Amino acid sequence: MIKNLKLIKYGYQFRLNIICSFVFMLLGIFSIIYVDIYKVPSICIFIYCSFLFFLQTGSTLTYSNVIKSSPKYREFYMGLQRIINISSFVYSVGLLLIVRIIQADNISQFAGNMGKELVVAGMEYFIIVLYMVFAYKFFVVSMVLFCAATVLMNAAVSFIFAPYNFTLLQGIGIIALFFILTITLSEIITRAIYKVQPSRLAQSASLRGYI
């Protein structure tokens, strides 16, 4: 799988995606520091977006006729998305924890706020990864569902957080459940729609030329 990951640098607009990834990482850090996460929880999706530019680059490789002709194409297609999904979770949650640890004056302050934020991070991870599973196959449907899910998440977080305060351990447990659920559903759906042709609406004219 490591050898396959090295192929990402040959993906469509690799350098541009690296730049965009860095920009979104900075936007994500800025958002979790200065924006009230309890009022606008979806703002932290910036953090996940910064990593998913790599998934976008890798996805262009799966369109390539050269890659498709390989006997290991199915292994590459399934494995690339799996390892990027897992890595994005570790990276995004790790970045959130690092920022909050630096901000906190003591352990009590860190633990008091982190439970809620881990719940939000788990919900965001669930939404954005499943969006990416569908995005290149059913572009319009995935965009509609993503926007609807984001709006509902904002409303749900406000409704849930008002009467209830999650502890750090509860937050860890809930985000772990979201992670397991997301990876499991992602694997099942990816296998189910494996042979569906990519949506042309998800491809720019220049990308079709690259393919």
Side-chain angles (χ1 to χ4, degrees), residues 63 135-140 196-203 208:
Y63 297 158
Y136 295 103
K137 302 286 188 175
F138 310 99
F139 182 73
V140 175
V196 175
Q197 293 299 311
S199 169
R200 289 183 66 84
L201 291 175
Q203 306 170 27
R208 289 195 288 271

Side-chain angles (χ1 to χ4, degrees), residues 5-6 8 10-11 60 111 137 143 156 170 180 201 203:
L5 282 175
K6 291 180 180 179
I8 290 182
Y10 300 109
T60 63
K137 302 286 188 175
M143 281 297 297
Q170 287 173 331
I180 295 170
L201 291 175
Q203 306 170 27

Side-chain angles (χ1 to χ4, degrees), residues 158-170:
S158 300
F159 179 77
I160 294 170
F161 284 0
Y164 192 77
N165 184 38
F166 293 92
T167 66
L168 179 59
L169 288 178
Q170 287 173 331

Side-chain angles (χ1 to χ4, degrees), residues 12 60 63-65 200 203-211:
Y12 176 69
T60 63
Y63 297 158
S64 170
N65 291 326
R200 289 183 66 84
Q203 306 170 27
S204 64
S206 56
L207 174 56
R208 289 195 288 271
Y210 164 84
I211 297 171

Side-chain angles (χ1 to χ4, degrees), residues 47-116:
I47 299 178
Y48 289 116
C49 288
S50 69
F51 201 92
L52 289 177
F53 276 102
F54 286 97
L55 179 57
Q56 177 175 295
T57 305
S59 295
T60 63
L61 288 173
T62 66
Y63 297 158
S64 170
N65 291 326
V66 175
I67 298 295
K68 285 183 177 180
S69 65
S70 169
K72 293 188 176 181
Y73 171 71
R74 180 182 173 87
E75 176 188 336
F76 175 80
Y77 179 85
M78 300 293 181
L80 180 66
Q81 181 164 295
R82 185 185 306 124
I83 195 169
I84 290 182
N85 287 347
I86 295 172
S87 300
S88 67
F89 178 83
V90 175
Y91 154 81
S92 303
V93 176
L95 183 60
L96 175 62
L97 289 171
I98 289 171
V99 171
R100 291 309 187 213
I101 288 172
I102 293 173
Q103 284 186 303
D105 294 328
N106 51 61
I107 296 297
S108 297
Q109 182 184 5
F110 170 78
N113 297 326
M114 208 62 225
K116 288 183 177 180

